[in-house]
Amino acid sequence: NEGFFDKELGNAFQIFWFMMYKKILAKSDPCITLIQHIKDCLSVFPNVLKWNSKLIKLMAERYGIEKDFLIQRLFLTVAFHDIAKATKNFQAKVRKEKYGLESHALSSIEFLYPIIKSNPITAFKDMQYYPELMSIASHHSKLTKHSFETYNKLKNETQPSFYTDIF
């Protein structure tokens, strides 16, 4: 019985990169596909929720957020944290076909933001707050203003700065 990530996400990645790669890699040594990596992360998700149940309950109460909504957003954070590893640039990098600066962490938030943009977790002083985006963007390194400046310089100059909209 195929799950969502085996069927839907796997098919989307395979169709998207069919002409270029047979598998979308998340890691090269050892070789792990992106689908397998996401499945591995989600397989421990129930235990992480159990281990942090008191913290999740306290955060939901303190900030007036429905606990189920918070858990859904945690799920999306885990599911999307490495989604930009499916990009052409990352696939070339992981296969050692191309070298250079490639921030899959920063690129990954561009996939999740359109899905959650209209429904922030909370707001502070009328400013929408998306902690899941910050978690994804910083899951490999500390975020600094320089992180976004460097990333935006690497992007196509004709595209507007994505990050000025959310950070």
Side-chain angles (χ1 to χ4, degrees), residues 59-71:
M59 287 184 67
E61 290 171 359
R62 180 174 184 176
Y63 295 106
I65 304 167
E66 291 292 324
K67 184 179 167 189
D68 287 343
F69 176 67
L70 189 56
I71 290 171

Side-chain angles (χ1 to χ4, degrees), residues 38-53 56 67-79:
I38 293 170
K39 286 171 63 177
D40 291 346
C41 293
L42 291 174
S43 73
V44 299
F45 185 69
N47 287 334
V48 173
L49 289 179
K50 191 182 332 177
W51 299 330
N52 292 287
S53 62
I56 292 168
K67 184 179 167 189
D68 287 343
F69 176 67
L70 189 56
I71 290 171
Q72 289 171 354
R73 294 305 268 271
L74 290 168
F75 177 86
L76 288 174
T77 303
V78 173

